[in-house]
Amino acid sequence: MNIIKAHNLACPIDGKSLQQTDKQFVCKNGHTYDIARQGYVNLLPVQYKRSKHPGDSKAMVVARTRFLDTGIYQPIATKVNEIVSALIINDKDVCILDAGCGEGYYFSSLVTFLSDRANSNNVSFVGLDISKDAIIQSTKRSKQISWVVGTNRQPPMLDESVDIILCMFGFLSIEGFNKILKPGGKIILVDPCPEHLKELREIIYPEVNKVEPTALAPSDIAGFYLLQSETIQFREKLDNNELVNQLLVMTPHFYRASKEGREAACNLEVLDITVDVTFNVFEKVTS
Ligand SMILES: C[S@@+](CC[C@H](N)C(=O)[O-])C[C@H]1O[C@@H](n2cnc3c(N)ncnc32)[C@H](O)[C@@H]1O
């Protein structure tokens, strides 16, 4: 597989194609976007921001990096790699977007996995997240990915130019994804199932909210049909307080929990967890 640069980034202001110069991306209407020294580009205009620092905070990003680097969630990465790999048809140019890529663990694992495949596809990778801290962290994982600060609501990519969109534990924007996906393009949605991290939730919310909100029903995605659906479930032991805290901080539960619930979880030295995750592949209907 040959990794090529993404050539389908679009100006977030007027949607025109962005061309890369030495240190900038520029559209034909003269809007320019500097390439940061870490190698990413910020395509999130201020009018698309709903807060000063949207998305995950630096503390969440750091906690997630440390937790994921232990390899505890490796089976999730392995499953994503298998699914994407099976979707790539030989000899075709392919663009893959990780929409809400976080700190880049899963996407960089995918790049490494696909790089070892001996076929002639040209593949480009775009990692998009609204959190600048997450994207800065991502740039340390791979230099072969185009890392972009931007929003899933208006992904800064050309219409019908993306083959596969990964959306893992993230913010699904059907309208935004539909616009940039080629006809026949795929969305791979990875979401928690009801048993996911139930042990943590039982401690944080002793009386309520034990069940993880259910993943989106396939029928909710107009203009797409469900191609494939799989679930994986496994158990792991978190055997120290630091690991439990990293898991807590990287999840939304940290902010949702009461002070008491948070403290109870923060003080744990050991926690057995169930990981229960679903992988749904949707194909865009060709008109
Ligand atoms: C739970 S994290 C998952 C990160 C990564 N996909 C993973 O599984 O490790 C959700 C991510 O979505 C990002 N996010 C939230 N709203 C977003 C939006 N509108 N557009 C793009 N990313 C967004 C957050 O900054 C965060 O990095």
Short mmCIF file of all heavy atoms in Angstrom, two decimals, residues 13 22 122 125 136 152 178 245 250:
data_model
loop_
_atom_site.label_atom_id
_atom_site.label_comp_id
_atom_site.label_asym_id
_atom_site.label_seq_id
_atom_site.Cartn_x
_atom_site.Cartn_y
_atom_site.Cartn_z
N ILE A 13 -14.34 28.02 4.83
CA ILE A 13 -15.16 29.23 4.61
C ILE A 13 -15.98 29.11 3.32
O ILE A 13 -17.17 29.36 3.31
CB ILE A 13 -14.27 30.49 4.60
CG1 ILE A 13 -13.68 30.68 6.01
CG2 ILE A 13 -15.05 31.74 4.18
CD1 ILE A 13 -12.62 31.73 6.12
N ASP A 22 4.47 25.49 0.87
CA ASP A 22 5.47 25.10 1.84
C ASP A 22 4.96 25.09 3.28
O ASP A 22 5.07 24.11 4.01
CB ASP A 22 6.63 26.11 1.73
CG ASP A 22 7.95 25.40 1.79
OD1 ASP A 22 7.91 24.17 1.66
OD2 ASP A 22 8.98 26.09 1.96
N ASN A 122 -3.29 3.41 -3.49
CA ASN A 122 -2.83 4.68 -2.93
C ASN A 122 -3.84 5.08 -1.87
O ASN A 122 -5.03 5.21 -2.17
CB ASN A 122 -2.81 5.77 -4.01
CG ASN A 122 -1.70 5.52 -5.01
OD1 ASN A 122 -0.64 5.04 -4.65
ND2 ASN A 122 -1.96 5.85 -6.26
N PHE A 125 -4.84 9.49 4.46
CA PHE A 125 -5.46 9.44 5.80
C PHE A 125 -5.63 10.85 6.33
O PHE A 125 -4.66 11.63 6.35
CB PHE A 125 -4.54 8.68 6.77
CG PHE A 125 -4.31 7.24 6.41
CD1 PHE A 125 -3.28 6.87 5.55
CD2 PHE A 125 -5.13 6.24 6.94
CE1 PHE A 125 -3.07 5.54 5.23
CE2 PHE A 125 -4.92 4.91 6.62
CZ PHE A 125 -3.89 4.56 5.75
N ILE A 136 -2.71 17.97 18.51
CA ILE A 136 -1.27 18.13 18.78
C ILE A 136 -0.70 16.80 19.28
O ILE A 136 0.37 16.36 18.86
CB ILE A 136 -1.03 19.28 19.79
CG1 ILE A 136 -1.32 20.62 19.11
CG2 ILE A 136 0.40 19.25 20.34
CD1 ILE A 136 -1.26 21.83 20.02
N ASN A 152 -16.79 17.81 12.88
CA ASN A 152 -17.56 16.81 12.14
C ASN A 152 -18.84 17.40 11.55
O ASN A 152 -19.40 16.86 10.61
CB ASN A 152 -17.98 15.66 13.08
CG ASN A 152 -16.81 14.78 13.48
OD1 ASN A 152 -15.68 15.02 13.08
ND2 ASN A 152 -17.08 13.76 14.28
N ASN A 178 -22.40 12.61 5.13
CA ASN A 178 -23.05 12.31 3.86
C ASN A 178 -22.49 13.19 2.74
O ASN A 178 -22.26 12.74 1.63
CB ASN A 178 -24.56 12.54 4.03
CG ASN A 178 -25.36 11.89 2.92
OD1 ASN A 178 -24.83 11.09 2.17
ND2 ASN A 178 -26.61 12.26 2.81
N ASN A 245 -7.83 5.90 37.33
CA ASN A 245 -8.02 7.36 37.16
C ASN A 245 -7.91 7.78 35.71
O ASN A 245 -8.66 8.65 35.24
CB ASN A 245 -7.03 8.13 38.03
CG ASN A 245 -7.58 8.32 39.42
OD1 ASN A 245 -8.41 9.19 39.64
ND2 ASN A 245 -7.18 7.47 40.35
N MET A 250 -10.64 9.95 30.99
CA MET A 250 -10.81 9.96 29.53
C MET A 250 -12.26 9.77 29.10
O MET A 250 -12.59 9.92 27.93
CB MET A 250 -9.91 8.90 28.87
CG MET A 250 -10.37 7.47 29.05
SD MET A 250 -9.19 6.32 28.32
CE MET A 250 -10.24 5.41 27.20
#
